[in-house]
Amino acid sequence: KGGLMTPTSTVKPTASWVAERATSDKQAKTVAKSGMISFAYYKLRCAVAVSLEVDTMALSAFEAKVIANITFAMTDAIEKAIVAGMDQPKGILSETAPTGQVVECVTPAYQTLIDAEAALPEEYEAGAVWLMSKKTFMAFVGMVDNNGQPIARVDHGIAGAPERYLLGRQVITTRHAPSYTSTLAAGTIFAAIVNLSDYTLNTNLEMTIKQYEDNDTEDVVRKAVMLVDGK
């Protein structure tokens, strides 16, 4: 349920090597008073009105397309929130990275990728991917190392779709991330290495699609409503 405060742990236990019949210290498991996670009730809504005349004369394929358009609008808004949201569910690129895990980039360069990989803690290696726009990826993909070898690799993949990598790490492209340009404002986060499974999307109300008629205009309205938050 939304609105509940869930405390986060501040201490992880450590294991000790001990001699025969020896014991180890009992470690207290505590929670942080300030380390609380709370999911709110952000309402996402999309409504499309169709005149009674059009709705009566339209084919069933038209109605199906309207539903598909509404569904895309809802899921696209959720994706935008997950990537770069601020006022709605908080996005990955809006999060404040821990100390030492922010890499400044004036111009896309080989050293930028080296610094980013060096800043990534080893415990996050498994499953971590690059998150950036396609335009940003293309700014990196054309670079070569000191031996003239490409530092990025694009494969067609088994299914024929491009598979993008930077220094062996998979790149997930999204149009909701800011693209690197020479005029990008200082301090703008345009890419990140992240394990997407660490993002939690909490839904208090699953996407619900309803249909009703406006009594004043006889318009047939189809709407989708959802209550969601993300951290």
Side-chain angles (χ1 to χ4, degrees):
K1 293 292 185 180
L4 299 179
M5 299 294 290
T6 304
T8 58
S9 173
T10 57
V11 177
K12 290 184 177 180
T14 57
S16 304
W17 295 101
V18 297
E20 183 179 358
R21 303 190 68 186
T23 185
S24 62
D25 294 335
K26 296 180 177 64
Q27 301 169 65
K29 187 67 173 176
T30 60
V31 296
K33 294 181 179 179
S34 60
M36 296 290 207
I37 296 176
S38 177
F39 291 101
Y41 309 89
Y42 293 107
K43 183 165 73 172
L44 185 63
R45 186 177 189 274
C46 179
V48 176
V50 178
S51 69
L52 179 64
E53 293 82 357
V54 171
D55 191 71
T56 301
M57 295 183 296
L59 299 173
S60 58
F62 175 79
E63 180 178 352
K65 191 64 176 178
V66 172
I67 298 299
N69 291 155
I70 294 175
T71 303
F72 174 82
M74 296 288 284
T75 53
D76 189 59
I78 292 172
E79 179 182 336
K80 182 178 180 180
I82 292 174
V83 173
M86 286 291 292
D87 299 327
Q88 59 269 23
K90 189 173 185 180
I92 294 170
L93 299 184
S94 300
E95 187 62 59
T96 301
T99 302
Q101 294 181 31
V102 177
V103 176
E104 293 187 2
C105 176
V106 178
T107 301
Y110 184 76
Q111 190 61 43
T112 302
L113 302 179
I114 297 297
D115 293 341
E117 289 290 345
L120 180 68
E122 291 184 2
E123 58 267 30
Y124 289 100
E125 282 287 341
V129 298
W130 275 103
L131 185 67
M132 63 179 66
S133 72
K134 181 180 178 181
K135 187 173 182 178
T136 298
F137 172 74
M138 297 310 294
F140 281 104
V141 74
M143 297 186 303
V144 296
D145 61 20
N146 293 334
N147 297 319
Q149 296 296 318
I151 63 170
R153 177 166 56 91
V154 181
D155 288 343
H156 292 295
I158 297 177
E163 295 180 355
R164 301 179 174 95
Y165 294 87
L166 289 173
L167 295 185
R169 188 173 301 283
Q170 185 180 7
V171 178
I172 304 298
T173 58
T174 170
R175 64 186 179 86
H176 297 303
S179 294
Y180 172 84
T181 63
S182 58
T183 58
L184 198 63
T188 301
I189 299 176
F190 62 87
I193 299 178
V194 61
N195 191 327
L196 296 177
S197 64
D198 287 342
Y199 191 90
T200 300
L201 192 72
N202 189 61
T203 56
N204 294 121
L205 175 65
E206 295 290 348
M207 189 184 304
T208 303
I209 297 181
K210 298 180 179 180
Q211 178 176 310
Y212 66 92
E213 181 178 318
D214 188 322
N215 292 327
D216 293 329
T217 62
E218 285 75 47
D219 285 353
V220 177
V221 181
R222 296 175 181 87
K223 69 173 182 178
V225 179
M226 188 176 186
L227 293 177
V228 63
D229 192 12
K231 295 285 189 298

